Amino acid sequence: MIVQPTLPKILDPAVLEIDLDKERNVKVTTIGKDHFPLKIIEVPDVYKDYISVRQLALEIPAIYAHNIDKGSAFPGWRGMMILDQTPLWMLINKMLLEHLDDEWGGPFTKDLNFPFTTGIVNTKSIIRRVNDGDPLGPILPHLDKAPPSPGMIAGLIYLNLPDECFGGTSFYDHTAELHEKKLLYQAEMVPNTMVLFQQRIPHSITQESMDDYREHFRIAQNFFIGDKSL
């Protein structure tokens, strides 16, 4: 007898709903300048129901990032799912047009189809090193895209519950060598807050101690987008 597969779990698109008309207290921090001002944009209250988005992030099967991409600096697990994220794209585009208009909003700006990507990190994943034996390697400053790379934006949305929040994301002086970076700004981990920044800004996970995520995970949605032909 052939065993029939069970029905798939049905995801209600309402899980990813965003109130685009909501007044948000957006914080913009300038930390330097190369060809354009380098900015950190923090957008609170992204999803209407971030608890359900958090649950979605935890239900997606994930693989340790280094197994997906040998050159990855991400110190945890990655999970991806193809979903319609039009509301999120509209919010991102609105924020970048308002606060990063000198390198965003050109002729190639259009709706992007990017996967719903999760980043799951805890202490065990951070100390798991399969390339250089350095347990702190993946949380040291790094670039997602080397300069010059105008219009290439990285973003994350914190999905942790309030009592799971530790640290955040740290940003460093772009003019020094990576091994001697000066800390310029820390974006605090706040539930349901999105952080947008240029991929060429040196950054890292903010880690007060190796025990920060021993009992909890750092749960985030991550994405990389560009304002030009990719």
Side-chain angles (χ1 to χ4, degrees):
M1 179 178 178
I2 298 178
V3 178
Q4 296 295 325
T6 58
L7 290 174
K9 181 174 180 178
I10 306 300
L11 177 65
D12 186 344
V15 168
L16 299 173
E17 281 188 358
I18 291 173
D19 183 355
L20 296 172
D21 296 321
K22 181 182 179 69
E23 291 291 332
R24 293 177 170 87
N25 186 20
V26 178
K27 180 180 180 182
V28 180
T29 304
T30 301
I31 63 167
K33 183 176 182 179
D34 49 21
H35 294 294
F36 303 100
L38 301 173
K39 297 180 181 180
I40 315 302
I41 304 168
E42 296 168 78
V43 185
D45 302 321
V46 174
Y47 288 112
K48 288 184 178 181
D49 179 11
Y50 93 91
I51 300 297
S52 293
V53 182
R54 173 185 183 275
Q55 187 61 33
L56 171 64
L58 293 174
E59 290 175 354
I60 298 175
I63 299 176
Y64 187 64
H66 194 81
N67 293 105
I68 302 172
D69 177 6
K70 299 300 182 183
S72 174
F74 185 75
W77 291 273
R78 289 283 200 199
M80 296 184 182
M81 179 180 289
I82 303 301
L83 297 170
D84 182 359
Q85 298 182 90
T86 300
L88 176 60
W89 162 248
M90 293 176 68
L91 178 61
I92 292 170
N93 191 41
K94 177 182 178 182
M95 292 295 101
L96 295 178
L97 286 175
E98 289 182 6
H99 304 293
L100 212 62
D101 62 322
D102 40 11
E103 63 177 289
W104 185 265
F108 298 107
T109 300
K110 58 183 180 180
D111 292 0
L112 294 179
N113 294 314
F114 50 94
F116 182 95
T117 304
T118 63
I120 310 295
V121 178
N122 79 342
T123 301
K124 288 184 178 180
S125 75
I126 290 175
I127 65 177
R128 174 182 172 175
R129 297 301 292 156
V130 293
N131 56 354
D132 61 12
D134 179 5
L136 296 179
I139 61 171
L140 295 177
H142 64 277
L143 311 177
D144 293 326
K145 187 76 88 172
S149 54
M152 304 300 292
I153 307 300
L156 62 92
I157 302 173
Y158 294 121
L159 298 175
N160 283 87
L161 300 174
D163 65 348
E164 298 171 342
C165 289
F166 299 91
T169 305
S170 296
F171 298 92
Y172 301 84
D173 179 8
H174 69 289
T175 64
E177 296 296 326
L178 282 176
H179 64 276
E180 55 186 31
K181 289 297 182 191
K182 176 184 177 182
L183 177 65
L184 296 180
Y185 183 70
Q186 292 181 340
E188 183 182 355
M189 184 193 293
V190 178
N192 202 24
T193 293
M194 175 167 63
V195 183
L196 299 167
F197 56 94
Q198 291 111 318
Q199 291 185 33
R200 63 189 184 274
I201 299 177
H203 60 279
S204 71
I205 287 178
T206 302
Q207 183 94 0
E208 299 299 332
S209 77
M210 289 300 290
D211 290 328
D212 281 356
Y213 305 111
R214 190 173 298 279
E215 298 298 330
H216 299 294
F217 290 85
R218 173 186 166 116
I219 308 165
Q221 178 181 356
N222 306 97
F223 48 86
F224 303 96
I225 57 178
D227 185 32
K228 61 182 179 180
S229 298
L230 301 178

